[in-house]
Amino acid sequence: MWNNDDACMKCSICITVCPVYGQDSDFPGPKALGPDWFRAFQENPATPVMEHVDDCTFCQLCEASCPVHVPIAHLIARHKSFKKKTTRIALRDRILAHPQWVARYPHLANAPSFLVKPLGFGSRSRWPRPQKRVGRLVSPNEPAKAAQVIGLFVDCYSRGFDQDVLSAAQALLELWGFSVRLLPHASHCCGAAAYAAGQPEEGQRIARATYEALSPDLAGLSLVVTLNATCDSTLREEWPVYWNLPLPVPVLSFTEFALSRAPESFWETMKNQAPGTAGTAWVHTTCRSRVSRGDGILEALVQKAGLPSVEPLNMACCGAGGSYAFKEEHEDTAHALGLVALEQIKNPKEDSIVVDSGTCALHLSQITGAAAKHPAYWLYHRYRSLTERSVEIGSQ
Amino acid sequence: MTRVTVVGQGPAALFAASLIREAGHECIIVSESEGSLPLWSGTFDFHAPVGDVSNPWSLLDNQPISLSGQEWKSLWESLARFEREAGIPVPDLLPSRGLFTITCTGREKPVFMVPAWQYAQEAAQPVWFVGFDGLADSMAAFQCGAYQKHTGVEANYCEIPKPSKWTPTWGAVRWAAYVDSDGGLDWLKRALQKVSPDIPPGWPVLVPQVIGRKFPERNLRALQMATGHPVFEYPLPPPSLGGMRIRDRWVWNLKQSGVQFLAGRVTLAEPSGQISLEDGREWRSDHIIVASGGILGGGLEISVDGKVHDTLRKEVLGSITVRQDLQMQEWGRLADDGTPRITTCGAQCRGWNPNRDSNGGALILATVFQGLNREGLVAVGPPGAVSERSVSHVE
Ligand SMILES: Cc1cc2nc3c(=O)[nH]c(=O)nc-3n(C[C@H](O)[C@H](O)[C@H](O)COP(=O)(O)OP(=O)(O)OC[C@H]3O[C@@H](n4cnc5c(N)ncnc54)[C@H](O)[C@@H]3O)c2cc1C
Ligand code: SF4
Ligand code: SF4
């Protein structure tokens, strides 16, 4: 199933990049939990599970650093799958591994804390609230002719909570002259949540169901655009490599798509001075997008889009880790990792955070007090304030 | 604007990127994994600590690439400037005769500069070594004995007991995270206060290089206040906090200056400036600098039959007898300085053997200089001084 699973040469580079290892003194670190454990497990399948294996956020930064490409984080996910859990924690983890269920009934997330606390949900991270859709954008120049059809992958978080981001992205793509097909039709998950939580088999099952739901809709598409960095790399990289689910069309993040495909006339408009914009736009490239594509791409987008005073946030993993921060046993680590942002953002009222994942956005805005949103949201609102001509279509 | 793509993110790539940015060009770094910097203390070496090292500048005469004294000076100054800009505490002025740092085995090693957290001296003087019980490679008794034997200077040592939170899994990185915490710093202050009455006045106190990852300066100041002695670190074997701190700050500084750090394996670098990644991404640059190393299985790969492949240019460079110890040694010899088609720098360059000669720092400075010069990207030092082989003194 894996390449290089036994290639570790014990250089310890992975330890130098792991955000949790630097934070939590009980966490054994990527080398011990991944290749060291796996070697022992190969020799003796009764090798005990390490106590803190679940504290790994599955950020994959360790894996990206490894000079010999040991699939460290994926070995750790396997390791996690052997962890015994109490019934209540198993139930909680089963719910969190299926964000597509939550996305179908997002208002359930507002259940009072006395109901969810006994299930092992933390009390520190507030649950998100569903946002309203935004209206279409109209170009002040010529109306766009819909030519190419592209798919927009609707991740669970955007479907359930961030309809504002989803509709903003759709409006921008249409403004740029693309005809947008939302995929998949019904609420489905790419499987990343289950994989991260140490349920690789369940992840594969979820992913296969999504793959099957997506497939009929892929006909005639030139590309699938994603909003969430984790889903992005899961669809493009993990689906074919780990689950044998290769998509027949390329997958690209909204950020990279915008940089390469938005028309010149759009950027011309964005160059103008927007009224009443102040504060710094802090950019956080999530760990999964850093691992998959690299750092500095999101900065390039917001700079090109004319957002004022763009600054990268100096931070490895914000601690959100999908549903990681919602688990009571991870609250402290998740919070401590996110505090790094608070140290840098001094004017939360004026500043904003641009981040390519809804759960990271939620976590960062709770910790810093600054508005944190997906780049599509910021681009949309900037364009709108520059043109003031959009037509509200209201919530759908 | 001229656009330069640098392949790799090891020290050679970072140094190249800083020079490229300073010259006002756009720079993109693309790398498939981490570079070697977090594995070493960040002391840029230019000779093994053996033989006559009384005039470190003269050691630069023995490097595989001939550069003038002015060029070397200018390169070391550039390195110091980039480190300072990144917030790494190195001095503005290079010493005319060099300095010596002390290794964890008690040997003196010539350096031109080390960050202020690390100990360096102009001539051997009495020092007090502190070992930490429970930290591998902190062997104060052995270190102290070796130092006295090699320098003939007085020294002493003590060992402090492990903190209560310690577990057998603690490596240097964990120790450093602990010392960065309030509880950890307090523990260390108290432990050193206990031994400080035994330390003769004025003697520097040398502690292992684990005094924090994020806040080494703050922590060392606190220890200095607590003991009344100047307190410095001595470097430890990999992974090394010195290199990690330098990497963290340097990479961050480059990111802030607009350098992209793309993640991906380069499969093709064309003389036309075309770069292709394994994941299908492609772009064009005005220049490509390949700094893909080799030490960590990067740019060069050895197959089971002993053939050495350049993974980037898909060429077989030669073959070696497959033996663990030989591999490292022969990589440098078999690699080259770049074909007429592509410019390389760093550990991949022919003629260098930093594992044998302990000149990884000189290798990085000289090969990056040579590579960027070859591409016409930067001119280091005063014009006209290029390639005049004479380094005896730079006063
Ligand atoms: C354990 C250790 C200890 C050392 N100690 C010292 C010391 O104390 N003092 C000293 O001066 N020097 C030291 N060195 C440094 C060493 O001697 C070299 O000088 C140094 O490693 C060279 O760095 P580099 O940037 O050329 O290559 P590396 O640091 O090896 O970096 C190579 C980079 O290229 C990337 N790469 C490779 N192939 C590709 C590809 N196809 N596509 C994209 N990216 C690619 C890799 O991912 C990596 O980021 C040490 C080295 C090691 C390994
Ligand atoms: S980085 Fe890779 S080779 Fe190095 S210790 Fe970690 S898993 Fe092993
Ligand atoms: S995936 Fe992230 S948190 Fe988990 S071990 Fe690797 S670096 Fe650490």
Side-chain angles (χ1 to χ4, degrees):
Chain A
M1 176 178 177
W2 286 302
N3 289 325
N4 308 314
D5 50 2
D6 197 27
C8 173
M9 52 174 185
K10 300 188 178 290
C11 70
S12 297
I13 281 211
C14 50
I15 290 174
T16 78
V17 300
C18 171
V20 178
Y21 188 79
Q23 188 59 52
D24 171 0
S25 60
D26 295 323
F27 186 64
K31 179 164 138 305
L33 292 171
D36 287 357
W37 171 83
F38 190 66
R39 271 183 186 152
F41 172 76
Q42 297 278 78
E43 270 178 28
N44 173 15
T47 299
V49 175
M50 295 174 92
E51 196 191 336
H52 293 279
V53 62
D54 265 348
D55 296 342
C56 156
T57 66
F58 203 56
C59 68
Q60 304 191 5
L61 289 166
C62 51
E63 203 166 303
S65 77
C66 175
V68 291
H69 314 298
V70 176
I72 313 170
H74 294 85
L75 295 177
I76 297 177
R78 182 81 198 280
H79 187 175
K80 285 177 183 173
S81 69
F82 293 99
K83 175 127 195 213
K84 295 265 176 301
K85 292 174 183 167
T86 60
T87 318
R88 73 180 183 107
I89 294 297
L91 175 61
R92 176 201 68 183
D93 288 358
R94 188 158 165 73
I95 297 171
L96 289 179
H98 295 80
Q100 72 272 30
W101 299 342
V102 184
R104 258 173 243 155
Y105 311 105
H107 291 283
L108 285 182
N110 296 329
S113 73
F114 70 86
L115 282 180
V116 292
K117 239 184 142 205
L119 271 178
F121 288 95
S123 50
R124 233 166 155 164
S125 293
R126 286 192 312 277
W127 285 84
R129 287 183 186 280
Q131 302 295 312
K132 285 210 166 68
R133 286 181 67 86
V134 296
R136 281 169 177 280
L137 290 171
V138 179
S139 163
N141 313 322
E142 83 262 43
K145 306 180 281 296
Q148 247 178 10
V149 190
I150 54 162
L152 179 57
F153 184 76
V154 186
D155 57 276
C156 311
Y157 193 86
S158 299
R159 186 185 299 273
F161 303 104
D162 269 358
Q163 285 285 337
D164 53 345
V165 169
L166 177 66
S167 51
Q170 185 177 356
L172 285 164
L173 294 169
E174 285 168 354
L175 175 77
W176 299 337
F178 297 95
S179 168
V180 177
R181 192 181 295 163
L182 298 180
L183 318 159
H185 258 329
S187 185
H188 280 283
C189 169
C190 64
Y195 210 152
Q199 303 173 32
E201 278 83 22
E202 184 63 4
Q204 178 167 24
R205 212 190 50 70
I206 295 171
R208 179 162 293 284
T210 308
Y211 182 83
E212 279 158 12
L214 275 180
S215 293
D217 285 340
L218 296 176
L221 291 187
S222 57
L223 190 101
V224 172
V225 173
T226 60
L227 295 171
N228 181 294
T230 300
C231 312
D232 180 68
S233 58
T234 304
L235 293 181
R236 190 179 41 243
E237 289 151 26
E238 305 200 322
W239 273 26
V241 171
Y242 295 104
W243 293 333
N244 193 24
L245 300 171
L247 283 173
V249 285
V251 176
L252 199 63
S253 71
F254 175 85
T255 303
E256 286 182 79
F257 185 84
L259 271 169
S260 59
R261 306 288 287 277
E264 227 17 78
S265 57
F266 174 76
W267 301 118
E268 278 304 318
T269 308
M270 296 296 263
K271 270 192 201 141
N272 295 320
Q273 187 83 33
T277 35
T280 301
W282 294 93
V283 178
H284 175 53
T285 303
T286 58
C287 35
R288 289 294 294 274
S289 110
R290 182 173 304 169
V291 163
S292 169
R293 309 298 271 186
D295 234 344
I297 305 171
L298 196 46
E299 282 87 341
L301 176 70
V302 287
Q303 235 142 20
K304 192 167 181 186
L307 265 73
S309 127
V310 175
E311 288 279 347
L313 265 177
N314 191 1
M315 183 160 67
C317 164
C318 71
S323 56
Y324 181 89
F326 289 110
K327 301 180 182 174
E328 62 182 6
E329 68 275 25
H330 297 148
E331 277 191 307
D332 290 346
T333 302
H335 193 76
L337 291 174
L339 278 182
V340 179
L342 186 62
E343 286 160 16
Q344 296 168 68
I345 301 175
K346 298 286 177 229
N347 294 314
K349 285 210 168 68
E350 294 195 341
D351 292 357
S352 53
I353 303 174
V354 187
V355 51
D356 48 356
S357 149
T359 42
C360 303
L362 177 74
H363 185 65
L364 284 170
S365 69
Q366 287 184 4
I367 286 181
T368 64
K373 279 286 187 185
H374 190 273
Y377 174 95
W378 296 116
L379 259 61
Y380 174 93
H381 284 284
R382 185 170 157 76
Y383 184 83
R384 227 178 117 149
S385 71
L386 286 167
T387 54
E388 300 279 20
R389 292 208 197 152
S390 56
V391 185
E392 192 68 50
I393 56 165
S395 60
Q396 295 182 357
Chain B
M1 205 190 223
T2 306
R3 180 196 252 194
V4 189
T5 297
V6 178
V7 183
Q9 64 176 48
L14 300 183
F15 186 59
S18 285
L19 282 166
I20 290 162
R21 287 296 297 141
E22 192 174 59
H25 308 310
E26 183 191 338
C27 180
I28 298 172
I29 279 190
V30 54
S31 178
E32 63 166 345
S33 54
E34 190 50 75
S36 62
L37 201 39
L39 292 185
W40 44 293
S41 70
T43 316
F44 281 68
D45 290 343
F46 44 94
H47 201 279
V50 290
D52 176 16
V53 292
S54 57
N55 174 15
W57 287 100
S58 71
L59 297 176
L60 295 173
D61 259 343
N62 307 330
Q63 305 300 334
I65 293 181
S66 305
L67 300 178
S68 74
Q70 276 310 322
E71 283 166 331
W72 277 117
K73 181 166 181 279
S74 164
L75 287 168
W76 286 103
E77 282 172 352
S78 302
L79 176 66
R81 186 167 65 253
F82 299 146
E83 290 199 7
R84 265 199 315 282
E85 279 166 11
I88 300 151
V90 292
D92 311 341
L93 286 178
L94 294 177
S96 64
R97 282 183 179 274
L99 297 163
F100 301 90
T101 190
I102 301 177
T103 67
C104 62
T105 54
R107 303 299 294 258
E108 282 193 298
K109 179 161 138 176
V111 292
F112 287 119
M113 49 168 222
V114 286
W117 52 64
Q118 187 168 323
Y119 184 67
Q121 57 189 3
E122 277 182 19
Q125 56 166 309
V127 291
W128 187 282
F129 294 99
V130 179
F132 289 4
D133 181 26
L135 172 62
D137 304 307
S138 119
M139 312 160 289
F142 172 79
Q143 189 184 23
C144 181
Y147 181 72
Q148 284 172 305
K149 185 168 152 229
H150 294 298
T151 61
V153 170
E154 226 187 322
N156 210 334
Y157 75 96
C158 64
E159 186 152 291
I160 56 175
K162 27 173 115 74
S164 56
K165 289 190 86 174
W166 181 91
T167 69
T169 62
W170 278 32
V173 181
R174 167 84 10 105
W175 274 91
Y178 179 60
V179 177
D180 265 343
S181 72
D182 293 345
L185 184 58
D186 255 10
W187 161 80
L188 186 52
K189 275 200 287 198
R190 272 186 274 112
L192 287 180
Q193 265 165 346
K194 256 194 214 143
V195 296
S196 63
D198 300 336
I199 306 174
W203 281 28
V205 175
L206 271 48
V207 290
Q209 191 166 61
V210 293
I211 312 304
R213 168 150 181 197
K214 280 182 163 176
F215 313 115
E217 294 97 326
R218 176 203 73 179
N219 300 342
L220 286 163
R221 261 198 314 276
L223 299 180
Q224 184 148 339
M225 297 277 282
T227 59
H229 288 269
V231 183
F232 299 97
E233 294 176 320
Y234 55 83
L236 297 173
S240 184
L241 266 298
M244 282 172 64
R245 294 171 195 151
I246 294 177
R247 181 227 19 214
D248 291 350
R249 296 181 193 193
W250 198 348
V251 166
W252 173 237
N253 181 257
L254 285 169
K255 282 183 184 170
Q256 275 186 308
S257 82
V259 176
Q260 288 191 342
F261 278 69
L262 301 183
R265 180 177 179 83
V266 178
T267 47
L268 195 69
E270 295 268 16
S272 63
Q274 183 74 14
I275 289 264
S276 310
L277 306 193
E278 199 171 46
D279 64 19
R281 279 179 286 176
E282 289 181 344
W283 65 92
R284 194 174 280 277
S285 292
D286 301 302
H287 301 267
I288 298 173
I289 306 291
V290 176
S292 57
I295 302 287
L296 295 170
L300 303 184
E301 263 174 23
I302 300 179
S303 47
V304 275
D305 58 1
K307 283 211 174 71
V308 180
H309 304 258
D310 182 321
T311 55
L312 204 63
R313 283 172 276 151
K314 308 215 185 311
E315 284 167 23
V316 177
L317 299 171
S319 62
I320 59 164
T321 324
V322 183
R323 263 193 16 231
Q324 196 62 36
D325 52 348
L326 251 185
Q327 296 189 357
M328 290 278 204
Q329 307 248 330
E330 298 224 351
W331 283 7
R333 188 173 63 71
L334 286 166
D336 59 40
D337 315 330
T339 60
R341 303 170 349 109
I342 295 284
T343 294
T344 57
C345 59
Q348 196 163 4
C349 291
R350 177 172 47 203
W352 294 81
N353 191 341
N355 302 299
R356 185 193 62 209
D357 300 336
S358 289
N359 59 353
L363 152 75
I364 290 158
L365 299 191
T367 58
V368 169
F369 171 58
Q370 179 182 263
L372 296 190
N373 242 335
R374 174 183 152 147
E375 293 283 323
L377 283 167
V378 289
V380 179
V386 180
S387 289
E388 176 205 326
R389 186 179 175 81
S390 90
V391 184
S392 36
H393 275 268
V394 181
E395 298 285 353

